[in-house]
Amino acid sequence: MNNNILIIGRVTDEMIKDIQLLELNVILITSEQEVNLVRDRDVLLDLLVFDYTQLDQLMNSSRILLKKYDIQAAFSFSEEALFNTAFIAEFFNLKGNDIDSVRKTQNKYLMRRILANHKEFSLPYKLVKTIDDIGSFVEENGKSVLKPIGAYASKGVIEVNKGENYNNALKYTNCYGSEILIEKYIYGRSFSIDILSLNGSHDILVILERKISEAPYYVTTAYTNDFDLSKETLGLIKDYCFKILNTLNIKQGISHIEIKIENNQPKLIELQMRPGGRMHKIITYVSGEKILPKYIASVLDMPYSFVPVDNKVSVFFFYSNVKGCIISVKGINNILSNKNVVFLTSKMKIGTQINRIQSTKDRLGYFIHCKRNMENKSKKCYKEGLYLLNQLEIEVESI
């Protein structure tokens, strides 16, 4: 068996390092905007830099690479490259992302239509084109959410309520796609679940509670596994997510599922066939597992092992509720000096122009607060991390 795999899309040095724990040779296709995320390029067997969203060019380059390297699998872990990578895998008979699963989950309307045949997954939804379409739906269903059927990373997602002028909301969502879906708003606590599927068998990698930005936009501002849920509720979440995957006939891949618990019942918000943002790092701190080598090893039928841990982990994102230019940042050193902060990255520099948070691209960095093994009994991981976050002061001059 050869050890050559093709990875397409956005990856970082850390992700490549994790994958190479399997002693695989990585050929990477990425874009000009993303190539600088991989600084240690000497570890790659080959590197091609171009717009991988152009399928014709990707097909031609993949054909040449296959002749040169005898590649056995193609993977992607970024939304932009998922479908084309799955297409490459199917066309050239490689292992990797499953195209049918990607197709169904990247089209929010198609996914809702499939799930609508099952009462436990049903939710009022409709394709809309005009403000009158929105108005009639909201009049019947109350608070609702507009979203482009093919967007990701919270782009174009906005809340609409009765009595509002829907024109601005429709214009905003249309910026990210011409086909617009409206769904009835779901109340309750929000959770994300990352699951590894292989040959129809599902394994939960992590369950995290999500904290969300203020309406009308919905962007994750924090993740934590430091939460209280009964074993019964955790069981409901597990069964619900597994039933969704089985209903959609998803048998292979990493899925990131977002739900809310409304009236003690899980309700689906979103599903994508890739790890949630930063999940490869978060899961390692939570359990010790490295999600990318585990997934690749399972697909390639290779051995995989890890040293288990049992940590409480909280992730806090930096963001602003106003648009402007940063003129001062205070408190970042308090976060950096805390012994339980295991990672921090920041784009907050004086003079940087920032937007009010509307999608994940507007976040300004994040830090990971981790209470390890023996410290878990304190159950203060989230509260202590939130205290650190609240000491941060970002002064912005409005523009």
PDB file of all heavy atoms in Angstrom, residues 211-223:
ATOM      1  N   LYS A 211     -22.339  29.197  22.736  1.00  0.00           N
ATOM      2  CA  LYS A 211     -22.865  30.514  23.074  1.00  0.00           C
ATOM      3  C   LYS A 211     -22.920  31.324  21.786  1.00  0.00           C
ATOM      4  O   LYS A 211     -21.992  31.259  20.960  1.00  0.00           O
ATOM      5  CB  LYS A 211     -21.983  31.211  24.104  1.00  0.00           C
ATOM      6  CG  LYS A 211     -21.707  30.358  25.347  1.00  0.00           C
ATOM      7  CD  LYS A 211     -22.977  30.018  26.112  1.00  0.00           C
ATOM      8  CE  LYS A 211     -22.650  29.179  27.347  1.00  0.00           C
ATOM      9  NZ  LYS A 211     -23.856  28.837  28.136  1.00  0.00           N
ATOM     10  N   ILE A 212     -23.988  32.077  21.607  1.00  0.00           N
ATOM     11  CA  ILE A 212     -24.275  32.715  20.319  1.00  0.00           C
ATOM     12  C   ILE A 212     -24.290  34.232  20.469  1.00  0.00           C
ATOM     13  O   ILE A 212     -24.678  34.768  21.505  1.00  0.00           O
ATOM     14  CB  ILE A 212     -25.644  32.238  19.782  1.00  0.00           C
ATOM     15  CG1 ILE A 212     -25.741  30.707  19.832  1.00  0.00           C
ATOM     16  CG2 ILE A 212     -25.881  32.739  18.362  1.00  0.00           C
ATOM     17  CD1 ILE A 212     -24.718  29.996  18.991  1.00  0.00           C
ATOM     18  N   SER A 213     -23.878  34.929  19.396  1.00  0.00           N
ATOM     19  CA  SER A 213     -23.876  36.387  19.388  1.00  0.00           C
ATOM     20  C   SER A 213     -25.308  36.926  19.438  1.00  0.00           C
ATOM     21  O   SER A 213     -26.280  36.199  19.231  1.00  0.00           O
ATOM     22  CB  SER A 213     -23.162  36.917  18.134  1.00  0.00           C
ATOM     23  OG  SER A 213     -23.819  36.464  16.956  1.00  0.00           O
ATOM     24  N   GLU A 214     -25.430  38.220  19.688  1.00  0.00           N
ATOM     25  CA  GLU A 214     -26.728  38.855  19.802  1.00  0.00           C
ATOM     26  C   GLU A 214     -27.463  38.870  18.459  1.00  0.00           C
ATOM     27  O   GLU A 214     -26.853  38.945  17.399  1.00  0.00           O
ATOM     28  CB  GLU A 214     -26.565  40.293  20.304  1.00  0.00           C
ATOM     29  CG  GLU A 214     -25.956  40.400  21.698  1.00  0.00           C
ATOM     30  CD  GLU A 214     -25.731  41.841  22.120  1.00  0.00           C
ATOM     31  OE1 GLU A 214     -26.124  42.742  21.357  1.00  0.00           O
ATOM     32  OE2 GLU A 214     -25.162  42.056  23.198  1.00  0.00           O
ATOM     33  N   ALA A 215     -28.798  38.813  18.544  1.00  0.00           N
ATOM     34  CA  ALA A 215     -29.621  38.933  17.343  1.00  0.00           C
ATOM     35  C   ALA A 215     -29.358  40.292  16.691  1.00  0.00           C
ATOM     36  O   ALA A 215     -28.978  41.249  17.368  1.00  0.00           O
ATOM     37  CB  ALA A 215     -31.091  38.789  17.721  1.00  0.00           C
ATOM     38  N   PRO A 216     -29.531  40.398  15.366  1.00  0.00           N
ATOM     39  CA  PRO A 216     -30.207  39.435  14.497  1.00  0.00           C
ATOM     40  C   PRO A 216     -29.290  38.399  13.860  1.00  0.00           C
ATOM     41  O   PRO A 216     -29.746  37.581  13.084  1.00  0.00           O
ATOM     42  CB  PRO A 216     -30.813  40.332  13.416  1.00  0.00           C
ATOM     43  CG  PRO A 216     -29.790  41.420  13.255  1.00  0.00           C
ATOM     44  CD  PRO A 216     -29.274  41.679  14.639  1.00  0.00           C
ATOM     45  N   TYR A 217     -27.966  38.430  14.192  1.00  0.00           N
ATOM     46  CA  TYR A 217     -27.033  37.494  13.569  1.00  0.00           C
ATOM     47  C   TYR A 217     -26.745  36.353  14.545  1.00  0.00           C
ATOM     48  O   TYR A 217     -26.876  36.508  15.762  1.00  0.00           O
ATOM     49  CB  TYR A 217     -25.737  38.215  13.182  1.00  0.00           C
ATOM     50  CG  TYR A 217     -25.987  39.453  12.353  1.00  0.00           C
ATOM     51  CD1 TYR A 217     -25.850  40.722  12.908  1.00  0.00           C
ATOM     52  CD2 TYR A 217     -26.393  39.362  11.026  1.00  0.00           C
ATOM     53  CE1 TYR A 217     -26.102  41.862  12.161  1.00  0.00           C
ATOM     54  CE2 TYR A 217     -26.642  40.502  10.268  1.00  0.00           C
ATOM     55  CZ  TYR A 217     -26.503  41.746  10.844  1.00  0.00           C
ATOM     56  OH  TYR A 217     -26.763  42.862  10.101  1.00  0.00           O
ATOM     57  N   TYR A 218     -26.342  35.209  13.998  1.00  0.00           N
ATOM     58  CA  TYR A 218     -26.106  34.040  14.834  1.00  0.00           C
ATOM     59  C   TYR A 218     -24.719  33.476  14.558  1.00  0.00           C
ATOM     60  O   TYR A 218     -24.517  32.731  13.610  1.00  0.00           O
ATOM     61  CB  TYR A 218     -27.169  32.974  14.562  1.00  0.00           C
ATOM     62  CG  TYR A 218     -28.574  33.427  14.900  1.00  0.00           C
ATOM     63  CD1 TYR A 218     -29.465  33.814  13.911  1.00  0.00           C
ATOM     64  CD2 TYR A 218     -28.983  33.496  16.223  1.00  0.00           C
ATOM     65  CE1 TYR A 218     -30.739  34.251  14.218  1.00  0.00           C
ATOM     66  CE2 TYR A 218     -30.249  33.928  16.545  1.00  0.00           C
ATOM     67  CZ  TYR A 218     -31.127  34.305  15.552  1.00  0.00           C
ATOM     68  OH  TYR A 218     -32.383  34.746  15.878  1.00  0.00           O
ATOM     69  N   VAL A 219     -23.766  33.869  15.405  1.00  0.00           N
ATOM     70  CA  VAL A 219     -22.390  33.430  15.257  1.00  0.00           C
ATOM     71  C   VAL A 219     -21.938  32.833  16.589  1.00  0.00           C
ATOM     72  O   VAL A 219     -22.214  33.409  17.656  1.00  0.00           O
ATOM     73  CB  VAL A 219     -21.460  34.590  14.867  1.00  0.00           C
ATOM     74  CG1 VAL A 219     -20.051  34.076  14.581  1.00  0.00           C
ATOM     75  CG2 VAL A 219     -22.012  35.336  13.658  1.00  0.00           C
ATOM     76  N   THR A 220     -21.248  31.712  16.543  1.00  0.00           N
ATOM     77  CA  THR A 220     -20.737  31.105  17.770  1.00  0.00           C
ATOM     78  C   THR A 220     -19.683  32.012  18.389  1.00  0.00           C
ATOM     79  O   THR A 220     -18.709  32.397  17.744  1.00  0.00           O
ATOM     80  CB  THR A 220     -20.117  29.724  17.481  1.00  0.00           C
ATOM     81  OG1 THR A 220     -21.096  28.883  16.878  1.00  0.00           O
ATOM     82  CG2 THR A 220     -19.626  29.080  18.772  1.00  0.00           C
ATOM     83  N   THR A 221     -19.869  32.363  19.666  1.00  0.00           N
ATOM     84  CA  THR A 221     -18.896  33.186  20.383  1.00  0.00           C
ATOM     85  C   THR A 221     -18.146  32.391  21.441  1.00  0.00           C
ATOM     86  O   THR A 221     -17.139  32.870  21.972  1.00  0.00           O
ATOM     87  CB  THR A 221     -19.589  34.383  21.054  1.00  0.00           C
ATOM     88  OG1 THR A 221     -20.604  33.899  21.946  1.00  0.00           O
ATOM     89  CG2 THR A 221     -20.218  35.292  20.005  1.00  0.00           C
ATOM     90  N   ALA A 222     -18.612  31.179  21.763  1.00  0.00           N
ATOM     91  CA  ALA A 222     -17.900  30.327  22.725  1.00  0.00           C
ATOM     92  C   ALA A 222     -18.386  28.889  22.589  1.00  0.00           C
ATOM     93  O   ALA A 222     -19.537  28.634  22.208  1.00  0.00           O
ATOM     94  CB  ALA A 222     -18.105  30.821  24.157  1.00  0.00           C
ATOM     95  N   TYR A 223     -17.487  27.961  22.900  1.00  0.00           N
ATOM     96  CA  TYR A 223     -17.813  26.537  23.028  1.00  0.00           C
ATOM     97  C   TYR A 223     -17.362  26.075  24.408  1.00  0.00           C
ATOM     98  O   TYR A 223     -16.337  26.545  24.915  1.00  0.00           O
ATOM     99  CB  TYR A 223     -17.044  25.687  22.017  1.00  0.00           C
ATOM    100  CG  TYR A 223     -17.455  25.777  20.574  1.00  0.00           C
ATOM    101  CD1 TYR A 223     -16.616  26.380  19.639  1.00  0.00           C
ATOM    102  CD2 TYR A 223     -18.647  25.210  20.119  1.00  0.00           C
ATOM    103  CE1 TYR A 223     -16.955  26.434  18.295  1.00  0.00           C
ATOM    104  CE2 TYR A 223     -18.995  25.260  18.779  1.00  0.00           C
ATOM    105  CZ  TYR A 223     -18.146  25.876  17.872  1.00  0.00           C
ATOM    106  OH  TYR A 223     -18.486  25.926  16.544  1.00  0.00           O
TER     107      TYR A 223
END
